[in-house]
Amino acid sequence: MFNTDAIMSSYDFDSLKGTLVDVGGGVGMAIRVTHVGGDMFTAIPPADSIFIKSMLHDWSDEKCVQILKNCRESITKRSGKLIIAEVVLNPQGDDVFDETRLNMDMIMLACFDGGKERIEGEWKSILEEAGFRHYNIIKIPSVVSIIEAYAE
Ligand SMILES: C[S@@+](CC[C@H](N)C(=O)[O-])C[C@H]1O[C@@H](n2cnc3c(N)ncnc32)[C@H](O)[C@@H]1O
């Protein structure tokens, strides 16, 4: 809940136009939604923008690229964007969340096959492989950061 509050109060969701799909949205804690069943590895419903929170860290790079390629396919407009709320590791960092982020990386390693937290270079690599050539990292007062990614 703490992460969700920080994301909602730090990021300007009001400026988004059209539809927003929350991929792997769980119980819909982050946004009020129409639930659409399906498998994100197969297809993601068409959207003007896509939101993904605390989900890609469950998966290996290969699986993330599959999910992100489906996100790319689903974003209908050139102006559409992908908004990711996930940890960006900074192993040399000393902000108040850096140790927690490293601990989370250990937990993902132990609990999920291929799951991990990622440094910026790893995010860049999987985003580029999926067709998102531009990205921007926004630090917020939370263990997660916002990564905005664009195909164009
Ligand atoms: C760690 S939870 C994150 C939930 C939510 N985004 C949050 O931050 O609270 C991962 C979510 O991904 C969903 N998920 C797992 N595999 C999926 C798949 N193949 N297609 C769609 N959603 C999937 C799970 O049902 C779960 O809700």
Side-chain angles (χ1 to χ4, degrees):
M1 195 61 183
F2 171 74
N3 285 341
T4 305
D5 288 346
I7 293 162
M8 294 306 164
S9 59
S10 306
Y11 189 78
D12 181 16
F13 284 93
D14 289 344
S15 67
L16 298 177
K17 306 260 188 300
T19 51
L20 175 69
V21 170
D22 182 0
V23 177
V27 295
M29 180 167 65
I31 50 177
R32 299 207 170 278
V33 293
T34 303
H35 286 275
V36 180
D39 178 5
M40 63 194 173
F41 291 103
T42 306
I44 290 167
D48 296 294
S49 301
I50 287 184
F51 180 62
I52 297 178
K53 173 178 158 292
S54 307
M55 192 274 285
L56 293 170
H57 69 167
D58 294 349
W59 300 98
S60 66
D61 287 354
E62 188 188 17
K63 293 284 188 188
C64 283
V65 169
Q66 259 182 279
I67 297 165
L68 292 170
K69 278 185 175 167
N70 285 341
C71 291
R72 174 75 192 86
E73 289 283 307
S74 110
I75 294 176
T76 45
K77 298 207 174 98
R78 287 168 67 94
S79 57
K81 63 179 154 181
L82 175 62
I83 304 155
I84 299 171
E86 296 265 359
V87 164
V88 179
L89 283 179
N90 181 7
Q92 277 78 48
D94 61 357
D95 91 23
V96 67
F97 295 112
D98 279 320
E99 199 172 316
T100 305
R101 292 176 182 126
L102 288 172
N103 288 334
M104 285 175 66
D105 189 31
M106 291 297 112
I107 292 167
M108 302 318 290
L109 183 69
C111 297
F112 293 92
D113 182 17
K116 59 178 175 176
E117 306 299 349
R118 293 178 167 85
I119 61 171
E120 179 175 347
E122 291 172 312
W123 283 114
K124 181 175 193 289
S125 169
I126 59 173
L127 284 165
E128 279 183 358
E129 200 176 333
F132 290 94
R133 287 177 292 167
H134 308 285
Y135 72 92
N136 178 32
I137 295 179
I138 303 164
K139 293 192 84 170
I140 62 172
S142 167
V143 73
V144 299
S145 295
I146 304 284
I147 307 169
E148 288 180 312
Y150 307 86
E152 302 296 333

